[in-house]
Amino acid sequence: MAPGSPNGLALKLGYASGTLSFSVKDVAFGSFVLYYYTSVVGLKGSRAGLVLFIAMVWDALTDPIVGSISDNLRTRRGRRHPLAVFLAVPYQCARRLNTSRAGHARIRADLDVRESF
């Protein structure tokens, strides 16, 4: 390829950088979530796997529906932008709840006290 051609290295790097956020998320999910659920939350490995399985099945069922809604949405701001703006806050709330220890901090503290005697 000639330098400056439309299919040059800069274009390829630009397209490749678009998947960087997904790659970071996938690596974090794969290496952190199971450890978190089993070590911090205290779930058995089989239950943590079941939770992830249910989440992936739910994702597989809802992705085509949301994709269809997104493809057919017509607003003056575009098709996808209003969905991204509308879902940013609920997504952050769900992410925060997923990694918070509020629900099981008391139980964990009780277990720590019992194990010390």
Side-chain angles (χ1 to χ4, degrees):
M1 268 181 244
S5 70
N7 295 327
L9 181 63
L11 180 68
K12 291 178 183 177
L13 289 174
Y15 278 117
S17 68
T19 63
L20 184 63
S21 61
F22 294 110
S23 299
V24 169
K25 180 223 19 128
D26 289 343
V27 168
F29 183 79
S31 62
F32 174 71
V33 171
L34 279 176
Y35 169 78
Y36 178 79
Y37 285 157
T38 56
S39 297
V40 177
V41 177
L43 283 176
K44 292 181 180 178
S46 59
R47 290 197 179 175
L50 179 64
V51 166
L52 295 178
F53 173 74
I54 291 170
M56 288 183 188
V57 168
W58 177 258
D59 189 47
L61 294 174
T62 58
D63 273 358
I65 296 168
V66 173
S68 176
I69 291 170
S70 172
D71 288 344
N72 295 317
L73 185 66
R74 303 280 186 245
T75 67
R76 62 188 174 123
R77 301 209 188 277
R79 295 187 310 191
R80 304 212 176 20
H81 190 262
L83 290 175
V85 170
F86 176 72
L87 294 174
V89 172
Y91 171 77
Q92 289 300 324
C93 291
R95 187 190 62 80
R96 189 78 159 152
L97 287 172
N98 190 34
T99 57
S100 73
R101 295 188 59 188
H104 52 279
R106 183 181 51 80
I107 296 169
R108 201 70 176 149
D110 290 345
L111 289 174
D112 291 341
V113 169
R114 288 183 193 150
E115 290 174 357
S116 63
F117 290 109

